[in-house]
Amino acid sequence: NAEKPFIVVDSFLKKEITKKLKEAVVFSSFTPNPKYKEMLEGLKLFKESGCDSIISIGGGSCIDVAKVIRLSINADLNNDIPTFKQEYKYTDIKHICIPTTSGTGSESTKHAVLYLDGAKQSIANPVNIPDYVILCPKLIMSVPEYQKKATMMDALCQCIESLWSRKATKESKKYAKIGLRLFKENYKGYLNLDKDAIKNVQIAANYSGKAINISETTAAHAMSYKITSLYNIPHGHAVTICMNSIFNNCKVKTKYNDIDVKELFCEILDYFKLDTYVEISKDELKILIDSVNPSRLHNFPFDICVRNCYLFISSANKC
């Protein structure tokens, strides 16, 4: 029953959306690692326009912006406390999510990420889960190959980390294993633009989101965020770099029934040919260590020497 949707869309899709939906209110003024003040611009536009629903069309960052706009609709904008840190006030505004990447699984999680004064903010609230999701394989066809690789690796790592997590449950493990099997069976066809494979990888990414919505992520994600901002490396690639280092530094469990997660990770990494080397200076090493997300790190099955993992990232390039 939406009559005036507020469409949050990645900037490269804005022209196409406005051409097809001339009366729509379209917001795309946010960066790949969206900032709180960018979200506020969207929130103010939503309120000024009198919209009655939200549609997000894009990747993880786009979906996160839409989530926090919806979360903040009834927040006090004159309060010095950021809207997402205020007590949530109910809204009946619905969020319809149409992801254009098969990676983050953000369409099925309560989590969102924004940056406030340069610091990453993890925003978790059950109301962040979109009300409706449309998975459309056609939207993935035109995604650049490198971006397709990075986003799929993000979802693959989410499944692996979900199995490791101290917060894992029977349900989250079930979702993670379904995702891993789908990745194993479809990653080659996914890159070769096979529509059925793309559809299955989209479903796998969705399951990866369902898995971490319960278990949350662990060390690879905890270490990855500053790599993205410091070296301008896409999030999924940064997570891949950290996961590779963890496999080489830590004696983690790798076999889950018929799936060997290290073997699968290395097999896909080799096929995708993603670089896992980053040159890290001494000053940057301290910045990276200080930036690690402690709550995510503590989800890892045992204590981990983050310094050694970062050092390994700058000294090796093989799985």
Side-chain angles (χ1 to χ4, degrees), residues 100-136:
T100 59
T101 65
S102 41
T104 63
S106 181
E107 74 276 3
S108 54
T109 77
K110 62 188 175 186
H111 303 289
V113 171
L114 291 179
Y115 284 80
L116 177 61
D117 298 327
K120 174 182 160 290
Q121 306 292 316
S122 294
I123 304 159
N125 192 311
V127 303
N128 280 339
I129 301 174
D131 300 281
Y132 304 95
V133 176
I134 299 170
L135 299 178
C136 178

PDB file of all heavy atoms in Angstrom, residues 100-136:
ATOM      1  N   THR A 100      21.693  -5.514  -4.576  1.00  0.00           N
ATOM      2  CA  THR A 100      22.286  -5.617  -5.914  1.00  0.00           C
ATOM      3  C   THR A 100      23.639  -6.310  -5.902  1.00  0.00           C
ATOM      4  O   THR A 100      24.335  -6.350  -6.913  1.00  0.00           O
ATOM      5  CB  THR A 100      22.442  -4.225  -6.553  1.00  0.00           C
ATOM      6  OG1 THR A 100      23.276  -3.419  -5.706  1.00  0.00           O
ATOM      7  CG2 THR A 100      21.102  -3.537  -6.720  1.00  0.00           C
ATOM      8  N   THR A 101      24.029  -6.833  -4.744  1.00  0.00           N
ATOM      9  CA  THR A 101      25.242  -7.647  -4.654  1.00  0.00           C
ATOM     10  C   THR A 101      24.894  -8.934  -3.926  1.00  0.00           C
ATOM     11  O   THR A 101      23.919  -8.989  -3.181  1.00  0.00           O
ATOM     12  CB  THR A 101      26.376  -6.943  -3.882  1.00  0.00           C
ATOM     13  OG1 THR A 101      25.975  -6.767  -2.514  1.00  0.00           O
ATOM     14  CG2 THR A 101      26.715  -5.596  -4.489  1.00  0.00           C
ATOM     15  N   SER A 102      25.686  -9.960  -4.167  1.00  0.00           N
ATOM     16  CA  SER A 102      25.486 -11.210  -3.417  1.00  0.00           C
ATOM     17  C   SER A 102      26.639 -11.336  -2.445  1.00  0.00           C
ATOM     18  O   SER A 102      27.587 -12.077  -2.667  1.00  0.00           O
ATOM     19  CB  SER A 102      25.410 -12.404  -4.365  1.00  0.00           C
ATOM     20  OG  SER A 102      26.373 -12.295  -5.387  1.00  0.00           O
ATOM     21  N   GLY A 103      26.578 -10.537  -1.391  1.00  0.00           N
ATOM     22  CA  GLY A 103      27.708 -10.485  -0.473  1.00  0.00           C
ATOM     23  C   GLY A 103      27.358 -10.320   0.978  1.00  0.00           C
ATOM     24  O   GLY A 103      27.410 -11.269   1.752  1.00  0.00           O
ATOM     25  N   THR A 104      26.945  -9.131   1.386  1.00  0.00           N
ATOM     26  CA  THR A 104      26.879  -8.836   2.815  1.00  0.00           C
ATOM     27  C   THR A 104      25.795  -9.623   3.547  1.00  0.00           C
ATOM     28  O   THR A 104      25.911  -9.864   4.746  1.00  0.00           O
ATOM     29  CB  THR A 104      26.610  -7.338   3.042  1.00  0.00           C
ATOM     30  OG1 THR A 104      25.325  -7.013   2.499  1.00  0.00           O
ATOM     31  CG2 THR A 104      27.671  -6.490   2.353  1.00  0.00           C
ATOM     32  N   GLY A 105      24.716  -9.976   2.849  1.00  0.00           N
ATOM     33  CA  GLY A 105      23.580 -10.589   3.549  1.00  0.00           C
ATOM     34  C   GLY A 105      22.874  -9.593   4.450  1.00  0.00           C
ATOM     35  O   GLY A 105      22.073  -9.967   5.312  1.00  0.00           O
ATOM     36  N   SER A 106      23.164  -8.290   4.253  1.00  0.00           N
ATOM     37  CA  SER A 106      22.592  -7.252   5.111  1.00  0.00           C
ATOM     38  C   SER A 106      21.079  -7.264   5.091  1.00  0.00           C
ATOM     39  O   SER A 106      20.429  -6.836   6.055  1.00  0.00           O
ATOM     40  CB  SER A 106      23.107  -5.872   4.672  1.00  0.00           C
ATOM     41  OG  SER A 106      22.603  -4.849   5.492  1.00  0.00           O
ATOM     42  N   GLU A 107      20.502  -7.772   4.002  1.00  0.00           N
ATOM     43  CA  GLU A 107      19.047  -7.802   3.895  1.00  0.00           C
ATOM     44  C   GLU A 107      18.399  -8.747   4.896  1.00  0.00           C
ATOM     45  O   GLU A 107      17.178  -8.736   5.063  1.00  0.00           O
ATOM     46  CB  GLU A 107      18.630  -8.195   2.469  1.00  0.00           C
ATOM     47  CG  GLU A 107      18.825  -9.656   2.106  1.00  0.00           C
ATOM     48  CD  GLU A 107      20.219  -9.998   1.633  1.00  0.00           C
ATOM     49  OE1 GLU A 107      21.093  -9.104   1.640  1.00  0.00           O
ATOM     50  OE2 GLU A 107      20.445 -11.166   1.257  1.00  0.00           O
ATOM     51  N   SER A 108      19.201  -9.571   5.573  1.00  0.00           N
ATOM     52  CA  SER A 108      18.628 -10.514   6.533  1.00  0.00           C
ATOM     53  C   SER A 108      19.232 -10.375   7.933  1.00  0.00           C
ATOM     54  O   SER A 108      19.149 -11.292   8.736  1.00  0.00           O
ATOM     55  CB  SER A 108      18.808 -11.954   6.031  1.00  0.00           C
ATOM     56  OG  SER A 108      20.155 -12.231   5.737  1.00  0.00           O
ATOM     57  N   THR A 109      19.826  -9.211   8.223  1.00  0.00           N
ATOM     58  CA  THR A 109      20.418  -9.023   9.544  1.00  0.00           C
ATOM     59  C   THR A 109      19.871  -7.789  10.260  1.00  0.00           C
ATOM     60  O   THR A 109      19.352  -6.867   9.636  1.00  0.00           O
ATOM     61  CB  THR A 109      21.960  -8.869   9.486  1.00  0.00           C
ATOM     62  OG1 THR A 109      22.287  -7.541   9.037  1.00  0.00           O
ATOM     63  CG2 THR A 109      22.582  -9.888   8.557  1.00  0.00           C
ATOM     64  N   LYS A 110      20.056  -7.801  11.582  1.00  0.00           N
ATOM     65  CA  LYS A 110      19.662  -6.657  12.416  1.00  0.00           C
ATOM     66  C   LYS A 110      20.781  -5.620  12.507  1.00  0.00           C
ATOM     67  O   LYS A 110      20.627  -4.585  13.159  1.00  0.00           O
ATOM     68  CB  LYS A 110      19.326  -7.143  13.826  1.00  0.00           C
ATOM     69  CG  LYS A 110      20.514  -7.791  14.551  1.00  0.00           C
ATOM     70  CD  LYS A 110      20.098  -8.435  15.849  1.00  0.00           C
ATOM     71  CE  LYS A 110      21.283  -9.187  16.475  1.00  0.00           C
ATOM     72  NZ  LYS A 110      20.897  -9.955  17.661  1.00  0.00           N
ATOM     73  N   HIS A 111      21.907  -5.889  11.846  1.00  0.00           N
ATOM     74  CA  HIS A 111      23.093  -5.034  11.979  1.00  0.00           C
ATOM     75  C   HIS A 111      23.155  -3.968  10.891  1.00  0.00           C
ATOM     76  O   HIS A 111      22.711  -4.175   9.765  1.00  0.00           O
ATOM     77  CB  HIS A 111      24.365  -5.878  11.908  1.00  0.00           C
ATOM     78  CG  HIS A 111      24.432  -6.956  12.937  1.00  0.00           C
ATOM     79  ND1 HIS A 111      24.618  -6.692  14.274  1.00  0.00           N
ATOM     80  CD2 HIS A 111      24.307  -8.304  12.836  1.00  0.00           C
ATOM     81  CE1 HIS A 111      24.624  -7.833  14.949  1.00  0.00           C
ATOM     82  NE2 HIS A 111      24.424  -8.821  14.102  1.00  0.00           N
ATOM     83  N   ALA A 112      23.726  -2.837  11.239  1.00  0.00           N
ATOM     84  CA  ALA A 112      24.043  -1.783  10.277  1.00  0.00           C
ATOM     85  C   ALA A 112      25.343  -1.124  10.727  1.00  0.00           C
ATOM     86  O   ALA A 112      25.696  -1.151  11.910  1.00  0.00           O
ATOM     87  CB  ALA A 112      22.921  -0.754  10.204  1.00  0.00           C
ATOM     88  N   VAL A 113      26.065  -0.551   9.768  1.00  0.00           N
ATOM     89  CA  VAL A 113      27.335   0.103  10.075  1.00  0.00           C
ATOM     90  C   VAL A 113      27.322   1.522   9.518  1.00  0.00           C
ATOM     91  O   VAL A 113      27.004   1.744   8.346  1.00  0.00           O
ATOM     92  CB  VAL A 113      28.530  -0.671   9.469  1.00  0.00           C
ATOM     93  CG1 VAL A 113      29.826   0.135   9.610  1.00  0.00           C
ATOM     94  CG2 VAL A 113      28.684  -2.026  10.153  1.00  0.00           C
ATOM     95  N   LEU A 114      27.651   2.483  10.376  1.00  0.00           N
ATOM     96  CA  LEU A 114      27.875   3.868   9.967  1.00  0.00           C
ATOM     97  C   LEU A 114      29.153   4.350  10.636  1.00  0.00           C
ATOM     98  O   LEU A 114      29.622   3.753  11.619  1.00  0.00           O
ATOM     99  CB  LEU A 114      26.720   4.772  10.398  1.00  0.00           C
ATOM    100  CG  LEU A 114      25.353   4.610   9.720  1.00  0.00           C
ATOM    101  CD1 LEU A 114      24.363   5.592  10.316  1.00  0.00           C
ATOM    102  CD2 LEU A 114      25.451   4.793   8.218  1.00  0.00           C
ATOM    103  N   TYR A 115      29.709   5.434  10.113  1.00  0.00           N
ATOM    104  CA  TYR A 115      30.916   6.009  10.713  1.00  0.00           C
ATOM    105  C   TYR A 115      30.580   7.382  11.299  1.00  0.00           C
ATOM    106  O   TYR A 115      29.989   8.231  10.635  1.00  0.00           O
ATOM    107  CB  TYR A 115      32.027   6.132   9.670  1.00  0.00           C
ATOM    108  CG  TYR A 115      32.668   4.792   9.352  1.00  0.00           C
ATOM    109  CD1 TYR A 115      32.049   3.902   8.491  1.00  0.00           C
ATOM    110  CD2 TYR A 115      33.860   4.415   9.943  1.00  0.00           C
ATOM    111  CE1 TYR A 115      32.612   2.666   8.214  1.00  0.00           C
ATOM    112  CE2 TYR A 115      34.440   3.177   9.672  1.00  0.00           C
ATOM    113  CZ  TYR A 115      33.811   2.306   8.810  1.00  0.00           C
ATOM    114  OH  TYR A 115      34.368   1.084   8.542  1.00  0.00           O
ATOM    115  N   LEU A 116      30.921   7.560  12.566  1.00  0.00           N
ATOM    116  CA  LEU A 116      30.680   8.810  13.276  1.00  0.00           C
ATOM    117  C   LEU A 116      32.014   9.355  13.756  1.00  0.00           C
ATOM    118  O   LEU A 116      32.728   8.693  14.529  1.00  0.00           O
ATOM    119  CB  LEU A 116      29.739   8.572  14.459  1.00  0.00           C
ATOM    120  CG  LEU A 116      29.425   9.768  15.358  1.00  0.00           C
ATOM    121  CD1 LEU A 116      28.745  10.879  14.578  1.00  0.00           C
ATOM    122  CD2 LEU A 116      28.571   9.345  16.548  1.00  0.00           C
ATOM    123  N   ASP A 117      32.393  10.548  13.272  1.00  0.00           N
ATOM    124  CA  ASP A 117      33.688  11.157  13.605  1.00  0.00           C
ATOM    125  C   ASP A 117      34.836  10.199  13.311  1.00  0.00           C
ATOM    126  O   ASP A 117      35.799  10.099  14.084  1.00  0.00           O
ATOM    127  CB  ASP A 117      33.719  11.591  15.078  1.00  0.00           C
ATOM    128  CG  ASP A 117      32.661  12.641  15.389  1.00  0.00           C
ATOM    129  OD1 ASP A 117      32.360  13.450  14.495  1.00  0.00           O
ATOM    130  OD2 ASP A 117      32.131  12.639  16.514  1.00  0.00           O
ATOM    131  N   GLY A 118      34.732   9.466  12.215  1.00  0.00           N
ATOM    132  CA  GLY A 118      35.786   8.561  11.774  1.00  0.00           C
ATOM    133  C   GLY A 118      35.781   7.201  12.447  1.00  0.00           C
ATOM    134  O   GLY A 118      36.542   6.318  12.056  1.00  0.00           O
ATOM    135  N   ALA A 119      34.924   7.024  13.446  1.00  0.00           N
ATOM    136  CA  ALA A 119      34.875   5.748  14.172  1.00  0.00           C
ATOM    137  C   ALA A 119      33.698   4.915  13.689  1.00  0.00           C
ATOM    138  O   ALA A 119      32.580   5.422  13.531  1.00  0.00           O
ATOM    139  CB  ALA A 119      34.769   5.996  15.672  1.00  0.00           C
ATOM    140  N   LYS A 120      33.940   3.622  13.494  1.00  0.00           N
ATOM    141  CA  LYS A 120      32.892   2.718  13.033  1.00  0.00           C
ATOM    142  C   LYS A 120      31.875   2.491  14.145  1.00  0.00           C
ATOM    143  O   LYS A 120      32.223   2.224  15.285  1.00  0.00           O
ATOM    144  CB  LYS A 120      33.522   1.389  12.609  1.00  0.00           C
ATOM    145  CG  LYS A 120      32.537   0.298  12.245  1.00  0.00           C
ATOM    146  CD  LYS A 120      33.281  -0.966  11.899  1.00  0.00           C
ATOM    147  CE  LYS A 120      32.381  -2.161  11.996  1.00  0.00           C
ATOM    148  NZ  LYS A 120      32.006  -2.512  13.360  1.00  0.00           N
ATOM    149  N   GLN A 121      30.613   2.578  13.785  1.00  0.00           N
ATOM    150  CA  GLN A 121      29.527   2.350  14.725  1.00  0.00           C
ATOM    151  C   GLN A 121      28.740   1.109  14.293  1.00  0.00           C
ATOM    152  O   GLN A 121      28.175   1.085  13.196  1.00  0.00           O
ATOM    153  CB  GLN A 121      28.583   3.554  14.759  1.00  0.00           C
ATOM    154  CG  GLN A 121      29.262   4.875  15.039  1.00  0.00           C
ATOM    155  CD  GLN A 121      29.808   4.965  16.442  1.00  0.00           C
ATOM    156  OE1 GLN A 121      29.139   4.585  17.401  1.00  0.00           O
ATOM    157  NE2 GLN A 121      31.017   5.475  16.577  1.00  0.00           N
ATOM    158  N   SER A 122      28.727   0.083  15.129  1.00  0.00           N
ATOM    159  CA  SER A 122      27.930  -1.113  14.851  1.00  0.00           C
ATOM    160  C   SER A 122      26.562  -0.928  15.501  1.00  0.00           C
ATOM    161  O   SER A 122      26.459  -0.843  16.726  1.00  0.00           O
ATOM    162  CB  SER A 122      28.618  -2.361  15.407  1.00  0.00           C
ATOM    163  OG  SER A 122      29.816  -2.603  14.716  1.00  0.00           O
ATOM    164  N   ILE A 123      25.539  -0.869  14.682  1.00  0.00           N
ATOM    165  CA  ILE A 123      24.185  -0.562  15.158  1.00  0.00           C
ATOM    166  C   ILE A 123      23.342  -1.825  15.029  1.00  0.00           C
ATOM    167  O   ILE A 123      23.029  -2.261  13.915  1.00  0.00           O
ATOM    168  CB  ILE A 123      23.577   0.591  14.331  1.00  0.00           C
ATOM    169  CG1 ILE A 123      24.505   1.816  14.396  1.00  0.00           C
ATOM    170  CG2 ILE A 123      22.185   0.933  14.817  1.00  0.00           C
ATOM    171  CD1 ILE A 123      24.310   2.793  13.266  1.00  0.00           C
ATOM    172  N   ALA A 124      22.995  -2.419  16.146  1.00  0.00           N
ATOM    173  CA  ALA A 124      22.234  -3.669  16.144  1.00  0.00           C
ATOM    174  C   ALA A 124      20.870  -3.447  16.790  1.00  0.00           C
ATOM    175  O   ALA A 124      20.785  -3.006  17.940  1.00  0.00           O
ATOM    176  CB  ALA A 124      22.998  -4.757  16.885  1.00  0.00           C
ATOM    177  N   ASN A 125      19.826  -3.731  16.026  1.00  0.00           N
ATOM    178  CA  ASN A 125      18.465  -3.609  16.547  1.00  0.00           C
ATOM    179  C   ASN A 125      17.569  -4.508  15.703  1.00  0.00           C
ATOM    180  O   ASN A 125      17.655  -4.469  14.470  1.00  0.00           O
ATOM    181  CB  ASN A 125      17.991  -2.153  16.456  1.00  0.00           C
ATOM    182  CG  ASN A 125      16.715  -1.912  17.243  1.00  0.00           C
ATOM    183  OD1 ASN A 125      15.738  -2.650  17.116  1.00  0.00           O
ATOM    184  ND2 ASN A 125      16.720  -0.876  18.074  1.00  0.00           N
ATOM    185  N   PRO A 126      16.734  -5.319  16.313  1.00  0.00           N
ATOM    186  CA  PRO A 126      15.866  -6.215  15.522  1.00  0.00           C
ATOM    187  C   PRO A 126      15.025  -5.499  14.478  1.00  0.00           C
ATOM    188  O   PRO A 126      14.691  -6.085  13.440  1.00  0.00           O
ATOM    189  CB  PRO A 126      14.986  -6.872  16.593  1.00  0.00           C
ATOM    190  CG  PRO A 126      15.800  -6.809  17.845  1.00  0.00           C
ATOM    191  CD  PRO A 126      16.571  -5.525  17.755  1.00  0.00           C
ATOM    192  N   VAL A 127      14.681  -4.221  14.716  1.00  0.00           N
ATOM    193  CA  VAL A 127      13.850  -3.496  13.745  1.00  0.00           C
ATOM    194  C   VAL A 127      14.628  -3.153  12.475  1.00  0.00           C
ATOM    195  O   VAL A 127      14.035  -2.706  11.488  1.00  0.00           O
ATOM    196  CB  VAL A 127      13.238  -2.215  14.354  1.00  0.00           C
ATOM    197  CG1 VAL A 127      12.429  -2.536  15.585  1.00  0.00           C
ATOM    198  CG2 VAL A 127      14.302  -1.187  14.660  1.00  0.00           C
ATOM    199  N   ASN A 128      15.934  -3.363  12.496  1.00  0.00           N
ATOM    200  CA  ASN A 128      16.736  -3.114  11.292  1.00  0.00           C
ATOM    201  C   ASN A 128      16.493  -4.167  10.205  1.00  0.00           C
ATOM    202  O   ASN A 128      16.823  -3.934   9.040  1.00  0.00           O
ATOM    203  CB  ASN A 128      18.231  -3.096  11.637  1.00  0.00           C
ATOM    204  CG  ASN A 128      18.683  -1.774  12.226  1.00  0.00           C
ATOM    205  OD1 ASN A 128      18.027  -0.749  12.048  1.00  0.00           O
ATOM    206  ND2 ASN A 128      19.797  -1.790  12.927  1.00  0.00           N
ATOM    207  N   ILE A 129      15.961  -5.309  10.566  1.00  0.00           N
ATOM    208  CA  ILE A 129      15.714  -6.346   9.566  1.00  0.00           C
ATOM    209  C   ILE A 129      14.609  -5.869   8.623  1.00  0.00           C
ATOM    210  O   ILE A 129      13.508  -5.535   9.076  1.00  0.00           O
ATOM    211  CB  ILE A 129      15.300  -7.677  10.218  1.00  0.00           C
ATOM    212  CG1 ILE A 129      16.404  -8.161  11.171  1.00  0.00           C
ATOM    213  CG2 ILE A 129      15.020  -8.744   9.163  1.00  0.00           C
ATOM    214  CD1 ILE A 129      16.030  -9.396  11.974  1.00  0.00           C
ATOM    215  N   PRO A 130      14.878  -5.785   7.314  1.00  0.00           N
ATOM    216  CA  PRO A 130      13.845  -5.318   6.376  1.00  0.00           C
ATOM    217  C   PRO A 130      12.581  -6.162   6.445  1.00  0.00           C
ATOM    218  O   PRO A 130      12.625  -7.359   6.753  1.00  0.00           O
ATOM    219  CB  PRO A 130      14.533  -5.452   5.007  1.00  0.00           C
ATOM    220  CG  PRO A 130      15.999  -5.340   5.315  1.00  0.00           C
ATOM    221  CD  PRO A 130      16.168  -6.017   6.642  1.00  0.00           C
ATOM    222  N   ASP A 131      11.451  -5.530   6.125  1.00  0.00           N
ATOM    223  CA  ASP A 131      10.165  -6.225   6.174  1.00  0.00           C
ATOM    224  C   ASP A 131       9.992  -7.169   4.989  1.00  0.00           C
ATOM    225  O   ASP A 131       9.361  -8.222   5.112  1.00  0.00           O
ATOM    226  CB  ASP A 131       9.032  -5.200   6.182  1.00  0.00           C
ATOM    227  CG  ASP A 131       9.113  -4.280   7.384  1.00  0.00           C
ATOM    228  OD1 ASP A 131       8.700  -4.706   8.479  1.00  0.00           O
ATOM    229  OD2 ASP A 131       9.613  -3.153   7.239  1.00  0.00           O
ATOM    230  N   TYR A 132      10.517  -6.770   3.858  1.00  0.00           N
ATOM    231  CA  TYR A 132      10.426  -7.583   2.642  1.00  0.00           C
ATOM    232  C   TYR A 132      11.756  -7.537   1.908  1.00  0.00           C
ATOM    233  O   TYR A 132      12.453  -6.518   1.918  1.00  0.00           O
ATOM    234  CB  TYR A 132       9.326  -7.066   1.703  1.00  0.00           C
ATOM    235  CG  TYR A 132       7.967  -6.977   2.337  1.00  0.00           C
ATOM    236  CD1 TYR A 132       7.512  -5.779   2.898  1.00  0.00           C
ATOM    237  CD2 TYR A 132       7.125  -8.091   2.388  1.00  0.00           C
ATOM    238  CE1 TYR A 132       6.263  -5.689   3.492  1.00  0.00           C
ATOM    239  CE2 TYR A 132       5.870  -8.011   2.985  1.00  0.00           C
ATOM    240  CZ  TYR A 132       5.447  -6.810   3.535  1.00  0.00           C
ATOM    241  OH  TYR A 132       4.222  -6.731   4.132  1.00  0.00           O
ATOM    242  N   VAL A 133      12.109  -8.652   1.256  1.00  0.00           N
ATOM    243  CA  VAL A 133      13.349  -8.726   0.481  1.00  0.00           C
ATOM    244  C   VAL A 133      13.037  -9.308  -0.891  1.00  0.00           C
ATOM    245  O   VAL A 133      12.306 -10.291  -1.006  1.00  0.00           O
ATOM    246  CB  VAL A 133      14.408  -9.611   1.190  1.00  0.00           C
ATOM    247  CG1 VAL A 133      15.646  -9.759   0.315  1.00  0.00           C
ATOM    248  CG2 VAL A 133      14.774  -9.020   2.537  1.00  0.00           C
ATOM    249  N   ILE A 134      13.595  -8.689  -1.919  1.00  0.00           N
ATOM    250  CA  ILE A 134      13.486  -9.206  -3.282  1.00  0.00           C
ATOM    251  C   ILE A 134      14.889  -9.524  -3.774  1.00  0.00           C
ATOM    252  O   ILE A 134      15.748  -8.634  -3.852  1.00  0.00           O
ATOM    253  CB  ILE A 134      12.824  -8.173  -4.221  1.00  0.00           C
ATOM    254  CG1 ILE A 134      11.413  -7.845  -3.741  1.00  0.00           C
ATOM    255  CG2 ILE A 134      12.802  -8.696  -5.659  1.00  0.00           C
ATOM    256  CD1 ILE A 134      10.773  -6.669  -4.462  1.00  0.00           C
ATOM    257  N   LEU A 135      15.143 -10.796  -4.080  1.00  0.00           N
ATOM    258  CA  LEU A 135      16.433 -11.222  -4.639  1.00  0.00           C
ATOM    259  C   LEU A 135      16.260 -11.378  -6.148  1.00  0.00           C
ATOM    260  O   LEU A 135      15.499 -12.226  -6.601  1.00  0.00           O
ATOM    261  CB  LEU A 135      16.897 -12.540  -4.017  1.00  0.00           C
ATOM    262  CG  LEU A 135      17.131 -12.538  -2.504  1.00  0.00           C
ATOM    263  CD1 LEU A 135      17.547 -13.929  -2.025  1.00  0.00           C
ATOM    264  CD2 LEU A 135      18.183 -11.508  -2.106  1.00  0.00           C
ATOM    265  N   CYS A 136      16.959 -10.556  -6.909  1.00  0.00           N
ATOM    266  CA  CYS A 136      16.805 -10.541  -8.361  1.00  0.00           C
ATOM    267  C   CYS A 136      18.154 -10.807  -9.024  1.00  0.00           C
ATOM    268  O   CYS A 136      19.023  -9.929  -9.063  1.00  0.00           O
ATOM    269  CB  CYS A 136      16.253  -9.190  -8.808  1.00  0.00           C
ATOM    270  SG  CYS A 136      16.082  -9.024 -10.581  1.00  0.00           S
TER     271      CYS A 136
END
